[in-house]
Amino acid sequence: MPRVGHLGRDFLLPLSDEDDTAGAEPEVAGGAKKKSRKAPPTPSDGYPADLWPAGRLLCDHNTGSGKTLVMMKRAFFCGHMTCIRPQRRFVPTASLQREAAVVDGEPRGCIFKVGFDHKDKNPYTGKVVLMDEGHHLTRPNRLYAEQLNNLKLYVETARNSVFVSCTGSMAEDSADDPRKLLDVVKGEANKGLSDEGFLSSHNKRGPSFPRQLPTQCADGAFAKSIEAKLVQRVELRSHALVRYLYQAIKLQREGKSDETLANYTNLHVYFGSVGIQACQTAIMRGRNYCPKFTAVVSSVVEAASKSQKCLVMVARKTGYKALLMLLQQAADQHGFGIAELGQMADFNQRSNDRGQRYMVMLVEAERGGESIEFKNVRRELLVDVPPRFGDYKQRCGRVVRCGSHDDLPEAERDVKFTLFAAELPAYARSEIGAFALWALCGFWGGPKKVVHASEPAPEDIEAAAQEFIKVVASSGITQLRMLHWALQIHYQSLGAALLADVCCDGNPKLRKRLFDGLTSLASSMPCPQAPVSTTIDDRLLEQLRHQAETLAPAVAQIRCVAVDAGALQSPFGMGNPFASASKSRRVITEEEKPSQELYDSARQGNLERCKSLLSEGLVKDVNWRRPKDGNAALHTAAEEGHAKIVQTLVAARANVELINDFGLKPIALVPQGTEAYRILDKLSQPLCEVRRCAVRQF
């Protein structure tokens, strides 16, 4: 049987946040009574008995977000789901280690006891399971690999279950990722069936999303045309350059991975040394020690001068603390605020839509690169080149969310992305230039352990390398194999001439290292491979480009089996509700502008302005609907919970039965139990009729 089946849609199950156990008030130490928690509703409370059998109840924890509740209500009223209010959310580490563990024949967690099949022993059998970021089932984080693999086994083998997995990253490392994830969703019992009916793909963004500059970064686009606009190249110079080369030489000699080189594209020291006073002093000097960070700070200051909020994302191991110091210094000079992840709620507040309190949000890429949202951000700066295609897509997607820019005027609802990539100086990107730099930094004749205090000055190394390139070029030698061939024939004369012409500023260390490099090249048969003339950022960009080219076709292919492939259909038969995203929106006329102002005032909670517009007769149509989504002033006042404005609009004969482009009335947008809900509930058609109408649409 299919994993996703039809459930009854005629009942509502709103439980309180603490509805997970029943019983009398238990006593605690000292005779005091612990606050009782309400029992879950039963058929005797008026809920239909035929919808109460074990296994038909989903409880998930209320996240505390009224917006989440409203979104679930929308789905419910469209006939898409049965239980609209989640009650208990289980993090995989907690649920699998404790709650879902079967002890003495029973699951430890109370929620898993509901409908538990003692023969099957699988706590997920007979359950409805909703999982966000479902790609972790097949690509688990190393920290939670054991728990997520157990969860994967549970959901694959569960029977009579409904499993819904949501993800925006079907493919991350391999073209096989979408196939593996879809197989988990289907479950072992359905592996012999076709894929049709097991996948829904909503991969188009509607008009409620901000514009992206360059386009579709948050959707994983990484073509050459996009890369040219997205990537800002920063040259490594002076201390930053030679420290990077010292580390590259060390890793190559030891045969180790070059992953840690990403640290040295940002900083001239290891990230753990930032706390040392001498290192802090050098970092604060700027460009010669951390050129990428200097470029990031310049972009932040430019955006701040235009009141454009910024999100800056950098890994902890590539210099998070150092960049925080530089940003704080710039903030003190230019008068703007810096927020970290702990201040995310304040950063996202409507009162901070233009950075009035916090202009910049600095987050660790490891912690803030997935599953969170940043609002009204106009610039996103990616300091590190993402190592995987999925990381690139997820990090860009943190600021491109549905409704994330609704607090800003239409003209300002855009996000500009910038990805910073370090590169070697132009002279070092040739074979001869790379050979000179590697030789002068001691690849062939340098010490095993570098003592920076006794090393030649970075400026002397760069000057000697550029002089060597000029001398070799004057002899007509432009490639390493040509230099190798010339040294093979005329080693004594040519080698001596090159060393004589390159003064090395009288530094014997540089002269000896260059001599050792030429000697090694002359004695090698055949010509050795040229030293690396690219940075780790260059190589990661190439890898990202290759992954995008490989994974995009794989995702497109598997999307072909989606039940909604080809178009998004409105459940009320009105066609694609997002169709206006690709068309020019209707221009609002002068006559409509007072109605638009009423809408904006209702959204902002400006009661006095609403009354003024209505009493002065400026608003010709109190039921005017916004072209973007069909919402009227009553819709937005209800959704924002402005009860007094709802009452004012109703008194002005606003239509409580008016539906928007999604087929929703104002009452469908307001959380239950609020004053605004009580006002609309007295005037609106009974909810049971609304739900029955929604069901009849299918």
Side-chain angles (χ1 to χ4, degrees), residues 229-305:
K229 299 175 183 178
L230 171 69
V231 178
Q232 179 174 330
R233 303 276 182 172
V234 180
E235 278 194 359
L236 297 178
R237 288 282 189 174
S238 187
H239 290 270
L241 174 63
V242 297
R243 292 292 183 93
Y244 176 87
L245 290 172
Y246 288 151
Q247 183 66 12
I249 290 170
K250 176 185 175 183
L251 294 175
Q252 184 156 330
R253 282 176 175 174
E254 297 174 354
K256 294 182 178 179
S257 170
D258 61 359
E259 291 180 0
T260 59
L261 280 178
N263 175 110
Y264 293 88
T265 61
N266 295 345
L267 288 171
H268 74 296
V269 294
Y270 184 62
F271 78 96
S273 303
V274 171
I276 301 173
Q277 184 60 45
C279 295
Q280 290 184 7
T281 303
I283 290 169
M284 300 306 279
R285 292 174 186 166
R287 186 168 184 81
N288 288 340
Y289 297 88
C290 44
K292 276 176 70 174
F293 284 178
T294 304
V296 170
V297 172
S298 297
S299 296
V300 167
V301 171
E302 177 190 356
S305 66

Side-chain angles (χ1 to χ4, degrees), residues 495-515:
L498 290 174
L499 290 173
D501 291 339
V502 180
C503 65
C504 295
D505 289 331
N507 192 310
K509 280 189 178 181
L510 294 181
R511 182 176 293 275
K512 180 181 182 304
R513 290 177 182 179
L514 189 56
F515 173 78

Side-chain angles (χ1 to χ4, degrees), residues 561-573:
V561 304
V563 293
D564 45 13
L568 295 174
Q569 293 297 326
S570 166
F572 289 86

Side-chain angles (χ1 to χ4, degrees), residues 207 576 578-586:
N576 183 359
F578 300 142
S580 60
S582 58
K583 301 177 182 178
S584 58
R585 292 176 185 158
R586 178 173 64 82

Side-chain angles (χ1 to χ4, degrees), residues 24-43:
E25 296 182 353
E27 290 191 1
V28 295
K33 290 189 176 181
K34 196 175 183 180
K35 183 180 178 181
S36 63
R37 293 180 289 180
K38 295 166 61 179
T42 65

